[in-house]
Amino acid sequence: MGRRSEIRALIAFASLLLAAPDFAQGGEAVQCREDLAILRQGNTRVEFTVEIADDAGERAQGLMGRTSMASGAGMLFIYPAPREVAFWMHDTPLPLDMLFIDAAGRVVTVAANARPNDDTPIPSGGPVRFVLEINAGLSARLGLGPGAELAHPAIEPGLAAFPCK
């Protein structure tokens, strides 16, 4: 093999390593979109089309007043930095599951079947950066619980447990 061929082979190998940072993190990268929450747990992978609540007003409003939501839909609450949060179901007639998610995109806790119109605080159980609200019962039916991983462009790439392409 000539010197030029060796150089080309080294460049090709280096390109493969740089183009595939997800292998170093132990998982496959997925194509992410702002309006899509992709979750995986074990061999299960599900996608939800989401509305984003990323400012104080949107987070305060949440899904209040909604009486229905498509089964493949949800709302993703995004905080600027990890923090402990508590949600409630004030003026929310729609029963929900709440997935509390850390900065790396790992589900910390799931509050399943939150009661409609209930003012009882539902704590995150630790610092989180994201909360995904989906229809009640879906997390159990889909096998999503603590340890599930979220892929979304709002997750810092260097921290992502389930990275985006």
Side-chain angles (χ1 to χ4, degrees):
M1 186 165 16
R3 185 80 174 140
R4 277 193 168 160
S5 296
E6 289 175 344
I7 291 171
R8 274 191 232 126
L10 284 172
I11 290 171
F13 181 72
S15 296
L16 282 174
L17 289 177
L18 293 173
D22 51 307
F23 294 121
Q25 295 177 7
E28 71 180 86
V30 293
Q31 187 65 45
C32 294
R33 297 189 331 238
E34 187 71 23
D35 67 338
L36 194 63
I38 305 168
L39 289 132
R40 73 174 178 191
Q41 186 149 24
N43 294 325
T44 301
R45 182 172 147 184
V46 295
E47 297 179 0
F48 294 96
T49 301
V50 292
E51 295 175 55
I52 301 295
D54 61 359
D55 68 38
E58 292 169 339
R59 288 190 296 265
Q61 178 64 37
L63 292 169
M64 289 194 313
R66 307 270 182 103
T67 57
S68 66
M69 183 168 55
S71 64
M75 180 170 276
L76 183 63
F77 296 77
I78 302 173
Y79 292 89
R83 58 182 274 197
E84 289 199 32
V85 299
F87 277 47
W88 63 351
M89 294 290 289
H90 183 78
D91 289 334
T92 307
L94 177 65
L96 298 170
D97 286 352
M98 298 175 193
L99 288 78
F100 294 95
I101 304 166
D102 69 14
R106 285 189 192 89
V107 174
V108 176
T109 20
V110 175
N113 300 302
R115 288 195 334 253
N117 300 308
D118 188 351
D119 289 350
T120 306
I122 302 167
S124 59
V128 297
R129 182 146 181 258
F130 309 94
V131 179
L132 177 63
E133 291 184 338
I134 58 177
N135 285 303
L138 274 181
S139 58
R141 195 170 358 178
L142 297 170
L144 299 172
E149 298 169 335
L150 169 69
H152 190 270
I155 299 171
E156 197 174 310
L159 294 177
F162 184 19
C164 294
K165 286 184 185 175

